[in-house]
């Protein structure tokens, strides 16, 4: 579950890289403003043990991330 803020008028996208390998692109809907945190639950495939998760957008901005919770 990713908690984020996206005060832009359009959804933002973020590409993911999981343990150095390209993952899915995630769309983040707009929030009411730049002070309202909302959350999105998505499924990513992780391995047992330590993992790295990278969010990026080479084509523009991404939302501001507040917290990421990984559940097994």
């Amino acid at each position: 579950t990713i908690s984020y803020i996206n005060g832009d008028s359009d959804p933002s996208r973020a590409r993911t890289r999981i343990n150095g390998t390209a993952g899915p692109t995630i769309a983040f809907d707009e929030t009411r403003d730049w002070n309202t945190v909302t959350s999105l639950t998505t499924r990513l495939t992780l391995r047992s043990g330590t993992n790295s998760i990278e969010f990026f957008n080479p084509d523009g901005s991404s939302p501001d991330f507040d917290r990421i919770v990984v559940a097994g």
Side-chain angles (χ1 to χ4, degrees):
T1 300
I2 306 164
S3 298
Y4 69 93
I5 299 171
N6 177 24
D8 290 336
S9 60
D10 296 318
S12 289
R13 301 195 184 288
R15 294 182 188 178
T16 61
R17 188 173 291 131
I18 313 299
N19 299 314
T21 302
T25 298
I26 301 172
F28 296 88
D29 290 333
E30 65 180 289
T31 56
R32 283 182 249 158
D33 52 44
W34 285 103
N35 297 309
T36 303
V37 177
T38 193
S39 63
L40 169 80
T41 299
T42 189
R43 187 173 296 264
L44 301 173
T45 301
L46 304 175
R47 61 184 178 217
S48 179
T50 302
N51 291 269
S52 66
I53 305 171
E54 180 182 355
F55 297 91
F56 63 100
N57 185 350
D59 302 318
S61 63
S62 293
D64 291 346
F65 297 110
D66 180 61
R67 177 182 3 195
I68 299 170
V69 176
V70 177

